[in-house]
Amino acid sequence: CTRWGERRAAKGWTMDEEHKRRATGGKRIAIRKKRKYNMGRPAAMTKIGEKRVHAVRCRGGNLKYRAMRLDTGNFSWGSEVSTSRARVLDVVYNASNNELVRTKTLVKGAIILIDASPYKTWYQNHYGVEIGKKKNAKASKETDEAKKSHHVLRKLKNRQATRTLDQRLDDQFAGGRLLACITSRPGQTGRVDGYVLEGKELEFYQKQLQHKKKKH
């Protein structure tokens, strides 16, 4: 009984190919036992919540940072060359597995919703333009301009000359949420970082989400 228990304990997660069959279906004879360098570990399955990260000691004394829960990350707005720290609100799409959307699991490549407030604030400070306003809301432009110096107003005017904003992004700003893609590996680095979706990529994922809604 004890020996059987020891044998079970010796079994573990492995990343080797030796126990798998050939492409033709033939069996492969293992020429060696399991090795430490082939060892695998359970997936982190990072969820949305108050930050909780475990340090995992790995081969060579290196450390991996296994994120159990994360709620904020750095997301870059590519066209404006601006990065802000934003709250992660929801997981809405994952090309690999719908189960990861249902369980709201944060993995690389997942499409998530983030808070738009930091980007709105940055845009207003950089261009002097308020974006994502409701159609009925009235602008208080005169009071804002009265507080700024002539030098600042000239600088904002020059910036506004080359300013462009995608209508799809503006609509998202009005709702207070932006679609973003995760580019970091939360289970390895303990961080959830990525970029805000724009242009053709944003259009594609919005179509995918609409199609998904129609199905249900």
Side-chain angles (χ1 to χ4, degrees):
C1 182
T2 317
R3 287 187 69 183
W4 182 80
E6 283 171 8
R7 231 180 282 157
R8 274 200 69 182
K11 288 184 178 181
W13 297 74
T14 181
M15 306 281 279
D16 73 313
E17 298 289 321
E18 290 185 5
H19 67 286
K20 293 189 175 180
R21 286 174 178 256
R22 295 189 179 91
T24 55
K27 281 195 174 180
R28 221 184 246 148
I29 297 168
I31 59 167
R32 67 174 71 87
K33 290 186 179 182
K34 291 177 183 178
R35 295 287 186 263
K36 180 83 171 177
Y37 56 75
N38 284 330
M39 189 180 78
R41 293 185 186 87
M45 305 301 278
T46 310
K47 301 289 189 286
I48 300 169
E50 193 179 341
K51 187 178 177 181
R52 195 195 310 162
V53 179
H54 296 167
V56 180
R57 197 261 187 202
C58 304
R59 186 175 159 87
N62 296 306
L63 288 176
K64 285 184 179 181
Y65 297 97
R66 185 84 76 241
M68 300 287 108
R69 303 269 185 283
L70 287 172
D71 56 356
T72 55
N74 295 329
F75 295 90
S76 72
W77 186 357
S79 62
E80 294 296 341
V81 197
S82 165
T83 302
S84 299
R85 191 159 188 78
R87 278 190 311 117
V88 177
L89 304 173
D90 198 5
V91 179
V92 291
Y93 186 80
N94 193 314
S96 66
N97 191 350
N98 281 332
E99 193 68 9
L100 298 176
V101 179
R102 190 185 66 79
T103 54
K104 300 189 192 306
T105 306
L106 300 173
V107 291
K108 184 176 177 177
I111 305 302
I112 59 173
L113 282 174
I114 60 170
D115 183 23
S117 306
Y119 302 93
K120 281 175 84 169
T121 307
W122 177 86
Y123 202 89
Q124 193 165 0
N125 292 338
H126 190 74
Y127 290 109
V129 176
E130 196 178 338
I131 54 174
K133 285 194 300 183
K134 300 281 193 268
K135 289 180 181 177
N136 301 330
K138 292 180 181 178
S140 56
K141 195 178 179 183
E142 291 174 12
T143 53
D144 288 345
E145 286 190 357
K147 294 174 187 174
K148 288 168 183 166
S149 67
H150 292 295
H151 171 70
V152 171
L153 290 171
R154 271 201 312 276
K155 190 164 69 173
L156 293 176
K157 192 178 178 183
N158 289 337
R159 284 176 181 170
Q160 285 172 22
T162 55
R163 181 182 79 88
T164 54
L165 182 66
D166 186 359
Q167 186 56 48
R168 288 174 183 275
L169 266 180
D170 200 20
D171 294 342
Q172 282 189 300
F173 276 115
R177 295 173 165 207
L178 296 174
L179 283 172
C181 179
I182 299 174
T183 53
S184 66
R185 300 172 70 196
Q188 308 289 316
T189 61
R191 299 168 63 92
V192 56
D193 298 333
Y195 62 92
V196 175
L197 295 180
E198 298 178 85
K200 292 282 184 188
E201 196 176 10
L202 175 60
E203 190 181 335
F204 170 78
Y205 282 113
Q206 281 182 332
K207 277 182 184 174
Q208 291 292 92
L209 292 169
Q210 283 297 324
H211 182 63
K212 200 172 167 187
K213 275 183 185 175
K214 281 177 187 175
K215 271 188 174 180
H216 295 294

